[in-house]
Each structure stands twice: as C-alpha cells, then as structure tokens.
C-alpha cells in the first residue's frame, strides 16, 4: 500500500457492507418467508412496509456510498460482499432477519455519520477512516504488537 493512501477495508467499508446486507435482507425477507413457510415477526406479518422501508433505506445508503467510493477503492467489493452477507443472513439465519430490524438502522446511521460529517461541516470522524485493527488498538482493546502472533511453545512434559 502506498504511504498516505487510504486503506480499502476501513470502518466505513464494513458499515456499508452491513447496511447493504441487512437492508437487502429486510427488504426481501417476507418474499422468501411466505414462499418457504418460514416464521415471520409480527411487524413483517402485519405491517410489511415498515421493514421494507428500513431495508431500502440501508440498501440505498450502502449503494450510494459504494458508488461514491468508486470501483478503485472497493465500491464493487462493498456490493458483492453485501449481497453475500444478505444471502447468508436471510438463507441461514432466517429469523435473524428480526435482529436486522435493529442492526440495519444502526449501521446506516453510523455509515452516514462517518461519511457525511465533513460535507455537512463537522470535523472528520477519526474512527471512520481507520482500519478496524487501528480502532481497537486506539481504544486499548488490542495491543499494538498483536499484529504478529507466534504459536505458544508446547508444554514440557515431566518424565
């Protein structure tokens, strides 16, 4: 990587993948659940337009961010990983889609907060452009030398 260049996988990248994945999962879950007799939550059964609108909001924000980021900086990867994430979330977790009702708006809000802070006149959010490992090191969760790990030596056996 070039010195001074932004990393492709930063926190906004991950938030965009999550927003696309959870948004698409919310927008399409009812279609899959009805045709396959999967369980649905009360909100998706009684007022399906609310999860669809929440899902479309997250999907739209993630796709806009991927478009603004461009193909050279991982825009296509955001879309591809978001589609993969949505298929895994919907296909394997099924009722995990109910959890996406809470997670999709959070991911979308944090994505928009980090992405649009500077254009709206606020200071740049440091966490937005860091790699996830840099954020964990700055918060003291991960030690700075934890990047390279060596296997532990085998215990000595007594004769």
């Amino acid at each position: 990587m070039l010195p001074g260049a932004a990393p492709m996988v930063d926190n906004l990248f991950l938030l965009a993948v999550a927003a696309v994945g959870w948004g698409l999962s919310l927008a399409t879950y009812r279609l899959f659940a009805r045709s396959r007799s999967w369980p649905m939550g009360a909100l998706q059964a009684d007022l399906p337009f609310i999860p669809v609108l929440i899902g479309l909001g997250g999907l739209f924000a993630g796709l806009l961010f991927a478009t603004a980021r461009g193909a050279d900086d991982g825009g296509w990867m955001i879309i591809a990983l978001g589609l993969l994430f949505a298929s895994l979330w919907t296909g394997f977790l099924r009722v995990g889609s109910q959890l996406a009702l809470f997670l999709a708006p959070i991911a979308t809000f944090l994505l928009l907060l980090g992405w649009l802070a500077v254009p709206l006149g606020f200071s740049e959010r440091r966490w937005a452009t860091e790699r996830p490992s840099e954020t964990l090191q700055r918060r003291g969760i991960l030690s700075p030398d934890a990047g390279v790990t060596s296997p532990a030596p085998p215990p000595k056996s007594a004769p």
Side-chain angles (χ1 to χ4, degrees):
M1 183 151 105
L2 299 172
M8 184 171 86
V9 178
D10 56 3
N11 291 328
L12 288 180
F13 179 93
L14 296 176
L15 286 170
V17 169
V20 168
W22 282 322
L24 185 60
S25 178
L26 276 176
T28 61
Y29 182 77
R30 183 176 167 88
L31 298 172
F32 290 111
R34 289 187 65 158
S35 66
R36 292 176 173 81
S37 299
W38 289 350
M40 278 190 285
L43 192 61
Q44 288 181 332
D46 299 335
L47 299 168
F49 66 92
I50 293 175
V52 169
L53 287 178
I54 292 171
L56 289 176
L59 178 64
F60 187 64
L63 291 177
L64 274 178
F65 178 76
T67 303
R69 192 151 183 172
D72 293 339
D73 290 330
W76 286 111
M77 289 300 297
I78 290 171
I79 295 170
L81 290 174
L83 291 173
L84 178 66
F85 182 58
S87 65
L88 291 173
W89 190 264
T90 302
F92 291 120
L93 294 181
R94 295 184 189 163
V95 294
S97 179
Q98 296 300 309
L99 187 59
L101 284 168
F102 298 105
L103 297 176
I106 292 170
T108 303
F109 175 74
L110 290 175
L111 172 66
L112 293 175
L113 179 70
W115 177 33
L116 298 177
V118 174
L120 293 176
F122 298 99
S123 63
E124 182 181 42
R125 305 290 182 231
R126 182 170 41 169
W127 60 265
T129 55
E130 290 178 332
R131 291 186 196 131
S133 61
E134 293 171 343
T135 303
L136 293 175
Q137 288 174 359
R138 182 173 49 83
R139 296 214 171 237
I141 298 170
L142 186 67
S143 63
D145 58 345
V148 178
T149 59
S150 60
K156 295 181 180 179
S157 60

